Amino acid sequence: MAGSIIPSPHGNRLVDRFVVSDKKNMQDMYTLQVSKELRNDIENIADGIFSPLEGFVGEDDFQSIVKRGRLNNGIAWTVPIILDIDEREACELKDAGEIALVAEGEGEENSNEKFAILHVEEVYSFDKIACAKSIYQTDDIKHPGVEKMVNMKDWLVGGKIDVVKRIEQSSLRKYRMTPAETRTEISRKGWKSVVGFQTRNVPHVAHEMLQKAALNLYDGLLLNPLIGKKKKGDFKDELILSTYLALIDSYYPKQRVMFVTLHTDMRYAGPKEAIHHAIMRKNFGCSHFIVGRDHAGVGNYYHPFAAHEIFKDYPDLEIEPLFFPAFYYCKKCLMFSNERNCAHGQEFREELSGTNMRKMVSSGEMPANHLMRPEVAKIIVSFKEPFV
Ligand SMILES: [Zn+2]
């Protein structure tokens, strides 16, 4: 592929930590229960989405991530992938060697199934407030990331993982792919450049126009919504999935778009999470990544352009951030414009605000066709309880 700018995986090696299970061996192991969210991230490690991580970080990497946004070996990494345990577990795990992981269930049959092995390398304590201040740039308990961190157990266990059993296939997981799979597909399509687009929203025409503006310049588009725990008021995963599928079906050139879900939680870490999001898309094979205004932000914790500025600290990232200004419909330009190319004032702009969207949901009133595609709006209006 002459001229291709598809980057190598982060750290130059795609991690694969799936193994054929040795069930007999696992039966005798110490067992640790993890949350469903953590099971998703464990599968992400095994799939190489978090390459070069092969497991939960140890203390040196943890301290290095918190202090300078890099792994101990200097590779860019901004959000620590950690497994918290309580004091009793810390004592028991310290010399346990290999342990088995089970996921908490919601009553499904295989909830107690041992799905992975953790090779315990170290157990250590951590300073939650210092970590929160570094990752979230605040220790305000009202920040959802800080709240989660403060409520974590007091100890961390680091070590490589091996996954023996994937999470069951479901309608929500039908569109997940591993980086090995997306990279194969990118190469099959012959794309030499790919733009990653992160979303946790239903698509407005403004989003579509922004994505298509990127398609004017690059070969392929990886639409990559985040499926996982979100905050109250966000749209539900099922809705994000079905509206995007409807939009792609009616309005996108199929040979230029890939739709892949990413199963991990929003952390609302603003600029640090923008880097984390870019690293995951680099592993999927993206050469470019669209970074929004206040990317991965929440409330007023981050400056709207902090998520752009931070990329200056990572010239070695090997995935290029694209800072598109937000698009809006301009009644003077008679098209979707943005602050970079439109000369007209606020009074000519048409946008679908959060308030508009909630009104649409409560009254069932369809928004104007040029702001939201009717195929998309219909799905939202007919969806029972669209918000988390
Ligand atoms: Zn204009």
Side-chain angles (χ1 to χ4, degrees):
M1 291 213 323
S4 177
I5 47 170
I6 304 299
S8 299
H10 199 49
N12 285 318
R13 195 173 63 84
L14 203 53
V15 166
D16 176 4
R17 303 287 306 181
F18 273 94
V19 294
V20 180
S21 97
D22 180 357
K23 286 221 170 80
K24 224 190 294 165
N25 186 18
M26 284 178 83
Q27 250 157 32
D28 304 326
M29 284 182 192
Y30 180 94
T31 301
L32 183 72
Q33 193 183 58
V34 299
S35 67
K36 276 188 300 174
E37 291 77 35
L38 216 46
R39 182 170 182 184
N40 269 323
D41 277 345
I42 291 167
E43 192 163 299
N44 290 335
I45 295 169
D47 276 338
I49 292 171
F50 294 159
S51 294
L53 299 193
E54 295 180 293
F56 293 101
V57 295
E59 188 165 18
D60 285 350
D61 279 330
F62 178 81
Q63 292 298 347
S64 181
I65 294 165
V66 169
K67 289 200 177 97
R68 56 179 191 139
R70 289 178 181 277
L71 298 174
N72 205 30
N73 61 10
I75 293 175
W77 201 272
T78 49
V79 174
I81 306 298
I82 45 183
L83 173 51
D84 58 322
I85 52 175
D86 62 28
E87 191 161 358
R88 183 184 58 82
E89 289 164 337
C91 289
E92 288 169 351
L93 282 188
K94 210 178 278 174
D95 303 305
E98 293 181 333
I99 66 162
L101 301 178
V102 296
E104 71 181 7
E106 358 171 76
E108 64 250 44
E109 265 176 51
N110 298 322
S111 60
N112 273 325
E113 183 177 39
K114 296 177 178 178
F115 72 93
I117 296 167
L118 171 66
H119 305 268
V120 177
E121 281 156 33
E122 56 185 309
V123 169
Y124 56 103
S125 63
F126 69 121
D127 181 340
K128 293 175 184 176
I129 298 298
C131 180
K133 274 186 179 163
S134 160
I135 308 302
Y136 302 106
Q137 293 169 32
T138 176
D139 57 4
D140 184 354
I141 193 78
K142 290 201 280 293
H143 183 293
V146 176
E147 188 197 7
K148 192 176 168 194
M149 178 152 283
V150 169
N151 288 318
M152 281 174 90
K153 295 170 190 166
D154 292 334
W155 297 79
L156 299 175
V157 51
K160 291 178 184 166
I161 55 102
D162 284 315
V163 171
V164 299
K165 177 82 171 60
R166 268 193 191 284
I167 300 170
E168 295 289 323
Q169 178 77 272
S170 67
S171 56
L172 263 183
R173 294 179 65 81
K174 198 173 153 198
Y175 293 91
R176 63 172 296 289
M177 283 173 89
T178 69
E181 288 165 344
T182 55
R183 284 172 171 272
T184 302
E185 186 64 13
I186 286 166
S187 131
R188 197 185 62 79
K189 288 177 184 293
W191 292 348
K192 294 176 169 61
S193 55
V194 183
V195 180
F197 186 84
Q198 143 81 32
T199 184
R200 49 179 161 125
N201 210 334
V202 296
H204 305 178
V205 178
H207 302 135
E208 177 187 338
M209 293 303 153
L210 189 154
Q211 291 158 7
K212 287 181 172 175
L215 267 187
N216 286 334
L217 298 168
Y218 305 103
D219 291 344
L221 179 66
L222 179 81
L223 290 173
N224 200 203
L226 214 130
I227 303 294
K229 213 176 226 175
K230 299 188 180 70
K231 64 181 165 49
K232 209 166 174 272
D234 283 353
F235 281 103
K236 282 188 180 157
D237 289 335
E238 293 83 355
L239 193 57
I240 296 169
L241 208 75
S242 51
T243 49
Y244 257 101
L245 290 172
L247 180 73
I248 294 166
D249 193 44
S250 298
Y251 297 95
Y252 282 66
K254 308 291 174 296
Q255 72 282 7
R256 304 281 307 278
V257 182
M258 277 169 76
F259 181 77
V260 178
T261 53
L262 174 57
H263 299 256
T264 191
D265 290 352
M266 274 304 296
R267 291 164 164 91
Y268 305 101
K272 299 254 172 158
E273 192 165 8
I275 298 292
H276 182 63
H277 282 171
I279 290 171
M280 291 189 282
R281 276 47 181 240
K282 176 187 175 187
N283 283 328
F284 278 124
C286 295
S287 54
H288 295 77
F289 179 60
I290 295 176
V291 182
R293 191 176 184 277
D294 199 24
H295 190 102
V298 62
N300 292 314
Y301 290 101
Y302 311 106
H303 184 276
F305 295 107
H308 294 188
E309 291 293 316
I310 192 171
F311 280 86
K312 288 185 187 143
D313 299 335
Y314 293 92
D316 53 334
L317 211 56
E318 296 172 329
I319 174 167
E320 202 180 313
L322 299 175
F323 306 128
F324 277 96
F327 281 41
Y328 50 80
Y329 187 82
C330 173
K331 286 186 273 188
K332 271 280 191 190
C333 292
L334 290 180
M335 64 173 196
F336 276 89
S337 304
N338 60 59
E339 277 171 352
R340 215 178 283 179
N341 61 20
C342 156
H344 311 110
Q346 204 84 42
E347 66 272 29
F348 298 107
R349 295 181 190 178
E350 286 190 275
E351 285 171 281
L352 271 180
S353 66
T355 317
N356 293 152
M357 294 291 287
R358 274 184 291 278
K359 215 168 98 188
M360 161 187 152
V361 165
S362 61
S363 70
E365 198 181 308
M366 301 274 279
N369 279 357
H370 66 288
L371 297 181
M372 179 169 276
R373 301 294 191 184
E375 292 85 347
V376 170
K378 260 182 223 150
I379 295 174
I380 299 173
V381 166
S382 61
F383 200 88
K384 231 191 224 175
E385 296 168 24
F387 300 112
V388 172

